[in-house]
Amino acid sequence: MAENIVQRLRDEIENGIVTNQFAPGDRLDEMQLAKHFGVSRTPIREALMQLGAIGLIEMRPRRGAVVVEPGPHRIYEMFEVMAELEGMAGSLAARRHTDTDRTGLLAAHARCEHSANADDADTYYYDNELFHHAIYTASHSSFLIEQCTALHRRLRPYRRLQLRVRNRMKTSFSEHGGIVEAILSGEAELARTLLRQHIAVQGDRFSDLVATLSQREAHSG
Amino acid sequence: MAENIVQRLRDEIENGIVTNQFAPGDRLDEMQLAKHFGVSRTPIREALMQLGAIGLIEMRPRRGAVVVEPGPHRIYEMFEVMAELEGMAGSLAARRHTDTDRTGLLAAHARCEHSANADDADTYYYDNELFHHAIYTASHSSFLIEQCTALHRRLRPYRRLQLRVRNRMKTSFSEHGGIVEAILSGEAELARTLLRQHIAVQGDRFSDLVATLSQREAHSG
DNA sequence: ATTCTCATTCTTGCATACAAGAATATTGAC
DNA sequence: GTCAATATTCTTGTATGCAAGAATGAGAAT
């Protein structure tokens, strides 16, 4: 586990950003972080560079790293791309899924049903991730799986915000039902369309997103 | 100019990989590279990590970095995703393009026409990049532009291989015509479909790809 | 009082040093 | 002669040191 120091640091700092411990605009001081985590600056720097590559922070030359605030429009764009990629995954899954995929998808769906009925947002949030991963897996495109996973990860904090919106959890789950059916019955284009709509931040959902974002802003400041 | 040694190194090494100077499977020795570029190991390491993040090399813990050989299937998957993203860009471009975008797209198209008629593969390769970038730009989604640019860059070497296939250049250019028309006339779904087909490695083109790949293999080995 | 300039300080960027794990070679035993 | 075990070497991973650029504050001039 000695090698994973950088990975650990990356995850810890990423988590700090996601949980708003490091607010957007904050400067991430290498020495401060190094002292805080009890390591030297070298692994901290590497972790920061990785976060920079992901896009979570911006690294200004000779001026340190700052936490990026994507802004509503940027977040909208990211969801837009995510919707397309998930739609693609769904389409491929409909055509390529095996019995194992089918089992995995149904299992994830069942878990979502459970947590949605229990009205447990935190568990649903997690089970929802499993559900989407099950779709990625069923696409049988390792590259697509990686792309989807990366973007999914990047959008994690905003997904969590969205679940706070009234009734979003139940709506989300009911949409899952149609998606599962489309995939398992092999209707590729239907699966694509449903997933696209499931992910996309359209109409009211965009104003909801902006609202929850500014709420969070007020909270942290 | 003194600022970004790391960026320079990253580009140089990436170029070395793309031009098969560093063949797939080669181990990239940090000290060797450091000596070769006249710098210390630190910036080399950072550059390698960035290449690892892009996916050009694989970094095995405590065992160094090796150049990744994607393999035909993997490359196929990447083109598959690229096709979808370009289709999306085309669809958005059809709906959102401005007069400036229109001018840029037509200019790029004209350049392609010129180099295709001159049968100049190298120039066409470059102009083709401009053409696709013009489409990305017209999508007016900064995030999508970034994603497309990154993947396009990643696929650059294989794109170049594909142009070597007989008549591919002329075919490519004639497909561009339909794409331009669809975008400028605002036919979003048509633009999406045409771009998807333009990029996708389907049918014969896959075996062509495999063939050119193994040719290159023989050359380097 | 405000602003501009210069000096100090602080942080990043690169280099070097040190430690630890993996690869390799050598030696011994069967 | 071959295989295995151990020692050596070699490379990566982490820490620290040093130099250069940027931020900051003080002082002077308007």
Side-chain angles (χ1 to χ4, degrees):
Chain A
M1 291 308 246
E3 203 283 306
N4 290 353
I5 280 188
V6 171
Q7 298 286 29
R8 204 200 82 213
L9 291 173
R10 186 173 65 74
D11 290 346
E12 295 248 22
I13 298 173
E14 177 177 351
N15 205 46
I17 294 173
V18 160
T19 63
N20 237 28
Q21 214 167 333
F22 301 115
D26 279 6
R27 236 182 98 203
L28 296 173
D29 187 274
E30 293 179 1
M31 279 215 297
Q32 235 172 288
L33 290 169
K35 217 175 273 184
H36 182 259
F37 288 112
V39 296
S40 92
R41 278 176 49 221
T42 310
I44 294 281
R45 279 182 65 80
E46 296 188 348
L48 289 181
M49 293 196 61
Q50 289 195 24
L51 293 176
I54 296 173
L56 264 174
I57 64 179
E58 190 188 348
M59 306 207 62
R60 298 169 306 178
R62 290 249 175 225
R63 297 178 64 202
V66 294
V67 179
V68 163
E69 169 60 312
H73 187 252
R74 174 81 175 181
I75 297 171
Y76 172 80
E77 288 179 353
M78 293 196 288
F79 272 106
E80 207 173 31
V81 172
M82 181 91 247
E84 209 66 35
L85 288 179
E86 291 242 5
M88 179 184 179
S91 158
L92 292 180
R95 283 158 39 194
R96 300 178 181 170
H97 72 272
T98 65
D99 281 353
T100 313
D101 298 326
R102 178 194 165 86
T103 309
L105 190 59
L106 286 174
H109 187 50
R111 291 187 64 141
C112 283
E113 178 170 29
H114 196 264
S115 46
N117 283 338
D119 215 45
D120 182 348
D122 284 337
T123 308
Y124 184 81
Y125 169 77
Y126 180 71
D127 292 338
N128 182 53
E129 295 211 325
L130 289 183
F131 178 76
H132 285 274
H133 268 281
I135 296 175
Y136 306 159
T137 303
S139 79
H140 287 270
S141 169
S142 61
F143 184 71
L144 180 60
I145 293 172
E146 286 167 25
Q147 294 290 111
C148 282
T149 304
L151 189 48
H152 193 105
R153 183 188 179 88
R154 181 90 180 70
L155 286 172
R156 198 182 279 177
Y158 311 109
R159 230 178 249 276
R160 177 165 256 157
L161 284 179
Q162 288 208 299
L163 276 183
R164 299 244 176 87
V165 172
R166 188 171 166 67
N167 269 337
R168 179 64 201 144
M169 196 166 66
K170 306 268 185 187
T171 312
S172 167
F173 174 71
S174 84
E175 288 170 6
H176 282 192
I179 292 165
V180 169
E181 200 178 348
I183 291 176
L184 294 187
S185 63
E187 296 178 79
E189 283 314 303
L190 180 60
R192 180 196 296 273
T193 306
L194 290 179
L195 263 164
R196 227 190 240 157
Q197 289 170 354
H198 178 61
I199 305 296
V201 179
Q202 289 164 337
D204 291 343
R205 289 178 60 191
F206 184 63
S207 31
D208 289 345
L209 174 66
V210 175
T212 44
L213 275 176
S214 47
Q215 256 181 24
R216 191 178 71 156
E217 199 88 353
H219 235 265
S220 77
Chain B
M1 293 296 269
E3 50 213 42
N4 259 4
I5 285 186
V6 171
Q7 297 287 28
R8 203 200 84 212
L9 291 172
R10 184 173 66 74
D11 290 346
E12 295 247 24
I13 299 173
E14 177 176 352
N15 205 45
I17 294 173
V18 161
T19 62
N20 236 28
Q21 212 167 336
F22 302 114
D26 279 7
R27 238 183 94 201
L28 297 173
D29 187 274
E30 294 178 2
M31 279 214 296
Q32 237 172 286
L33 289 170
K35 215 174 275 183
H36 181 261
F37 288 110
V39 297
S40 91
R41 276 177 53 222
T42 310
I44 294 281
R45 278 182 66 80
E46 295 187 348
L48 289 181
M49 292 193 63
Q50 290 194 23
L51 292 176
I54 296 173
L56 265 173
I57 65 179
E58 189 187 348
M59 307 207 61
R60 298 169 306 176
R62 290 244 176 231
R63 297 180 63 201
V66 294
V67 179
V68 162
E69 168 60 310
H73 187 252
R74 174 81 175 181
I75 296 171
Y76 172 79
E77 288 179 355
M78 293 196 288
F79 273 106
E80 208 173 31
V81 171
M82 182 89 248
E84 209 67 35
L85 289 179
E86 292 242 6
M88 181 184 178
S91 158
L92 292 181
R95 284 157 39 194
R96 300 179 181 170
H97 71 272
T98 65
D99 280 353
T100 313
D101 297 326
R102 177 194 165 88
T103 308
L105 190 59
L106 286 173
H109 187 50
R111 292 188 64 142
C112 283
E113 179 170 27
H114 196 265
S115 46
N117 284 338
D119 215 44
D120 182 348
D122 284 336
T123 308
Y124 185 82
Y125 170 76
Y126 179 70
D127 292 337
N128 182 52
E129 295 211 328
L130 288 182
F131 178 76
H132 285 273
H133 269 281
I135 296 175
Y136 306 159
T137 303
S139 79
H140 287 269
S141 168
S142 62
F143 184 71
L144 180 60
I145 293 171
E146 285 168 26
Q147 294 291 112
C148 283
T149 304
L151 189 47
H152 192 104
R153 182 189 180 88
R154 182 89 181 70
L155 286 172
R156 197 182 280 177
Y158 311 109
R159 230 179 251 275
R160 176 165 256 156
L161 285 180
Q162 288 209 298
L163 277 184
R164 300 246 175 87
V165 173
R166 188 170 166 67
N167 270 334
R168 179 63 199 144
M169 197 166 65
K170 305 266 184 190
T171 312
S172 168
F173 173 71
S174 84
E175 287 171 4
H176 282 193
I179 292 166
V180 170
E181 200 179 349
I183 290 176
L184 294 187
S185 63
E187 296 177 80
E189 282 316 302
L190 180 60
R192 180 197 296 274
T193 305
L194 290 178
L195 261 163
R196 225 191 241 156
Q197 289 170 354
H198 178 63
I199 305 296
V201 180
Q202 287 164 340
D204 291 344
R205 290 179 58 193
F206 184 64
S207 31
D208 290 344
L209 175 66
V210 175
T212 44
L213 276 174
S214 47
Q215 255 181 23
R216 191 179 71 157
E217 199 87 355
H219 236 265
S220 78

